[in-house]
Amino acid sequence: MNVIKSLKFHFYTYKIPYLLFFLFNLFIIGISYFLSSITEIRKYLLIFISSSTIIYTFIIGYYEYSVLNKCYLNIKANRLSYYFSSLIMSFINIIIHLLIIFMYGYLYYRYNFIETILFDHTHISIYIIYAITFFIIFALGSFIGLFFSKIKLLIRVVILLLIVAFIFFGSDITEFIYKLINSIYMNNNYIISKPLIFSFTISLILELIIYLKVKELNI
Amino acid sequence: MSVLVCENLSKRINKNEYIRNFNYNFLDNQIYAIVGKSDSYKEEILDLITGKINADDGKVYLDGQALFNNNFISERLCYISRNTTFPGNIKIKSIFKLMATLYPKWDNAYAFELIENFQINPRSTYSSLKSNKRTLLLGILGLASRANITVFDNPVGHADVKDRYEYFKFLYSHHERYPRTMIMTTDYIDELDYIVNNILFIDKGRLFETYKTEDIKDDFRYLSGKTEVLKSLINGIKVIGVEERGKTLTICIRQKLKKDDIRKFQKYLIEIFDVPIQKVFIYLINLREVKGI
């Protein structure tokens, strides 16, 4: 099993989309700097940042098992190497997003334009919470991509629902995330917090189901 | 140098066996063409022999090792199926880099030479290519992979007749230079007859005839002449196809003609000429349908 070869496939596919996403985040930081004096805008910026990272991760996870797996397995029928490279890709996705979170936290702290616990780059619990969130979102996207990609409408509906949810209930969702982070943040034993363990377990179950399906996959 | 052995391959969907007992040994440095109707499951046979899907019965061996899910030998085999595609945002030159990592014998210079010939810009993305250029690109990938066994599903099927002609010329010369086993399904067998060594006829998931290309030229002949004259001369000859246009009758016979036969037909102004392979296939399929097979 040569995972490196399969990873290169991911690299050539995603190098431009991730670069664009990174530049997009730099743009958002720039906007934050100029609009930081307007209190209302701050709230919406936070909603926008959290929703864009979650939707981006979901789309990449979905793409992994609705399009990219077919591209790869049609040129090379190594199912397991694709599965493991996709899993590594999910970790790389987490690392990239954590770097972006760090970038937000550091710049917001450094230039003092938005103070928020959502991007507190000094506390490790923030990274653990985000890592598990991105892990489950990626796994969920992959799961839907693998089992429901033939229902083209479904993915559009899911993405539309996510966008609508963030537009209409963005402040509630951010508030919820804020409270969740706050409760875990204040708890020194955040590693054994119930929501984190639950999310992590669900992610592992989804990954296990994907593994078993990919093993027997006839593309 | 590799040999691909297919032993009793069968594949079922819901107890319906659509590929039955496919037995064939693909030998070293030969070019094979698989010809079949659209419902002959020839693409599925390619999927089976390349280890893309697993057979319900039987096994495929590449150089003595079972092929399915065997990553160690899979780099010896390159399969360009009609479903082969790439993410739309990947550039052609990146696809070449990718192929170089997947196939150790990848010939990058040759790949660039071919895309230049077919006027494909290496900086363009895969999604920006039109379907004829995409099909050419996939054909180029198969050639430049230089894998011991290269399998094509209807190579350059969407390209125009001129590009197909050019591509098959490249295929021929590349095979002369780097001999290896090639297996392809094709809808254009008569454009390939100078390249192909062996022809496999498939019907309803079954291999029903195999020929060497030179044998098919000898075994099947067209006789053409005035209807009354020709009809009186063909007693005892195995006729597999008949075509009548006005007062001219053309028949396809399945028989090697001796010198005496040729002289006899020439005496009565009967023309004798080669049967296109595609026509041989059509006549044999018609016979199977008449027999109810």
Side-chain angles (χ1 to χ4, degrees):
Chain A
M1 180 166 44
N2 198 332
V3 178
I4 300 295
K5 287 178 183 175
S6 184
L7 262 179
K8 282 187 180 173
F9 203 77
H10 287 88
F11 170 73
Y12 288 116
T13 306
Y14 293 133
K15 63 178 182 180
I16 302 291
Y18 271 100
L19 181 68
L20 290 177
F21 188 70
F22 187 75
L23 293 175
F24 167 77
N25 279 285
L26 281 181
F27 174 72
I28 296 295
I29 288 171
I31 286 180
S32 311
Y33 181 76
F34 289 111
L35 302 178
S36 58
S37 56
I38 310 165
T39 320
E40 275 301 299
I41 295 286
R42 291 180 186 180
K43 195 175 79 181
Y44 289 114
L45 271 175
L46 296 179
I47 295 166
F48 190 72
I49 293 163
S50 51
S51 62
S52 65
T53 48
I54 286 174
I55 291 172
Y56 184 84
T57 300
F58 178 81
I59 290 173
I60 293 287
Y62 176 81
Y63 190 78
E64 278 285 302
Y65 281 99
S66 62
V67 178
L68 202 63
N69 65 333
K70 288 170 191 152
C71 295
Y72 182 77
L73 296 179
N74 267 310
I75 198 83
K76 207 81 193 163
N78 293 352
R79 292 158 190 79
L80 292 184
S81 71
Y82 182 81
Y83 170 78
F84 285 111
S85 71
S86 178
L87 194 61
I88 292 169
M89 187 60 222
S90 134
F91 296 136
I92 292 170
N93 176 69
I94 290 169
I95 291 166
I96 291 169
H97 281 295
L98 290 186
L99 283 174
I100 291 171
I101 299 292
F102 175 80
M103 189 173 74
Y104 275 118
Y106 177 75
L107 290 174
Y108 283 178
Y109 171 78
R110 176 83 173 76
Y111 295 103
N112 230 351
F113 42 85
I114 296 176
E115 277 183 41
T116 172
I117 197 172
L118 282 175
F119 302 115
D120 185 353
H121 71 290
T122 58
H123 208 291
I124 194 166
S125 64
I126 294 293
Y127 297 104
I128 291 169
I129 293 161
Y130 275 114
I132 290 175
T133 307
F134 291 130
F135 188 44
I136 191 168
I137 294 290
F138 194 95
L140 193 67
S142 302
F143 182 82
I144 292 174
L146 187 58
F147 289 96
F148 304 106
S149 63
K150 281 182 182 163
I151 312 168
K152 299 274 180 209
L153 193 65
L154 183 72
I155 180 65
R156 287 174 195 160
V157 169
V158 169
I159 292 172
L160 201 68
L161 280 178
L162 280 174
I163 293 169
V164 168
F166 276 109
I167 289 171
F168 289 103
F169 308 105
S171 52
D172 297 332
I173 294 169
T174 314
E175 189 70 17
F176 171 76
I177 297 170
Y178 183 87
K179 278 182 185 166
L180 186 68
I181 289 176
N182 204 25
S183 69
I184 297 165
Y185 191 70
M186 295 304 168
N187 181 3
N188 284 332
N189 293 324
Y190 54 83
I191 296 288
I192 53 162
S193 93
K194 278 180 190 167
L196 287 187
I197 291 172
F198 178 74
S199 305
F200 191 65
T201 311
I202 293 289
S203 311
L204 289 182
I205 291 169
L206 288 175
E207 286 294 342
L208 183 68
I209 294 168
I210 293 168
Y211 171 79
L212 293 173
K213 176 72 179 168
V214 167
K215 220 173 134 186
E216 295 304 318
L217 205 59
N218 287 336
I219 297 293
Chain B
M1 296 210 295
S2 287
V3 174
L4 191 71
V5 176
C6 305
E7 270 184 13
N8 276 326
L9 301 180
S10 296
K11 188 75 184 167
R12 285 182 286 274
I13 296 179
N14 301 332
K15 293 182 182 174
N16 175 28
E17 198 174 48
Y18 65 92
I19 295 171
R20 274 169 284 178
N21 301 328
F22 184 86
N23 270 303
Y24 200 77
N25 296 344
F26 295 95
L27 303 178
D28 197 29
N29 299 341
Q30 298 278 303
I31 300 182
Y32 297 87
I34 297 177
V35 180
K37 283 167 56 186
S38 55
D39 62 352
S40 63
Y41 298 109
K42 54 187 193 285
E43 294 87 11
E44 287 77 3
I45 288 173
L46 289 192
D47 288 347
L48 277 178
I49 67 176
T50 53
K52 193 176 156 193
I53 58 174
N54 200 10
D56 291 323
D57 296 314
K59 279 208 165 166
V60 182
Y61 296 95
L62 176 57
D63 299 334
Q65 296 181 55
L67 179 62
F68 187 73
N69 265 348
N70 189 335
N71 300 331
F72 297 105
I73 53 170
S74 67
E75 65 188 23
R76 295 178 208 167
L77 189 148
C78 174
Y79 176 30
I80 305 291
S81 79
R82 65 183 60 193
N83 296 323
T84 301
T85 184
F86 292 91
N89 63 318
I90 288 194
K91 288 184 176 174
I92 308 305
K93 58 180 185 174
S94 296
I95 292 176
F96 288 175
K97 282 181 192 167
L98 202 61
M99 293 295 283
T101 66
L102 295 176
Y103 297 100
K105 292 183 187 173
W106 172 257
D107 191 341
N108 211 39
Y110 186 65
F112 272 95
E113 184 190 328
L114 289 192
I115 61 164
E116 195 185 337
N117 182 79
F118 290 110
Q119 295 169 334
I120 300 171
N121 182 359
R123 290 180 178 278
S124 54
T125 58
Y126 186 73
S127 62
S128 69
L129 297 181
K130 288 183 179 168
S131 72
N132 64 325
K133 297 289 181 195
R134 278 190 198 184
T135 192
L136 282 165
L137 177 73
L138 295 178
I140 291 165
L141 296 181
L143 280 190
S145 74
R146 279 178 51 196
N148 292 9
I149 293 184
T150 311
V151 183
F152 295 99
D153 184 1
N154 201 18
V156 294
H158 295 292
D160 59 53
V161 65
K162 191 213 171 251
D163 281 343
R164 280 207 305 274
Y165 172 75
E166 294 278 325
Y167 176 81
F168 292 140
K169 251 174 53 176
F170 277 116
L171 191 149
Y172 178 77
S173 55
H174 202 242
H175 186 261
E176 288 281 296
R177 196 167 167 197
Y178 302 106
R180 58 200 192 271
T181 307
M182 288 186 177
I183 304 163
M184 59 185 87
T185 61
T186 180
D187 294 332
Y188 307 102
I189 183 64
D190 290 318
E191 294 179 21
L192 285 165
D193 59 358
Y194 67 102
I195 300 172
V196 171
N197 307 109
N198 298 279
I199 298 165
L200 285 70
F201 287 155
I202 305 278
D203 185 34
K204 293 169 191 156
R206 271 199 172 168
L207 176 65
F208 71 91
E209 296 272 6
T210 58
Y211 293 100
K212 290 211 166 286
T213 312
E214 59 265 30
D215 291 345
I216 214 167
K217 301 268 177 200
D218 291 338
D219 289 352
F220 297 89
R221 306 291 279 174
Y222 261 144
L223 304 178
S224 183
K226 284 195 173 171
T227 307
E228 310 89 68
V229 180
L230 187 54
K231 272 185 180 169
S232 65
L233 293 173
I234 54 173
N235 285 336
I237 294 180
K238 195 173 182 183
V239 177
I240 65 159
V242 179
E243 290 183 28
E244 200 167 0
R245 306 262 188 277
K247 288 181 179 173
T248 305
L249 180 70
T250 305
I251 60 167
C252 177
I253 60 165
R254 187 179 193 167
Q255 178 172 310
K256 274 186 185 165
L257 289 175
K258 293 172 191 162
K259 281 184 180 172
D260 289 346
D261 296 326
I262 294 171
R263 269 190 224 113
K264 184 177 87 181
F265 287 123
Q266 283 172 342
K267 187 178 160 191
Y268 289 97
L269 301 175
I270 302 294
E271 282 184 72
I272 303 166
F273 51 97
D274 289 347
V275 186
I277 297 167
Q278 196 172 299
K279 280 290 179 77
V280 172
F281 172 73
I282 292 166
Y283 297 139
L284 290 176
I285 283 284
N286 286 343
L287 279 181
R288 284 174 68 81
E289 282 172 2
V290 169
K291 288 177 186 170
I293 302 172

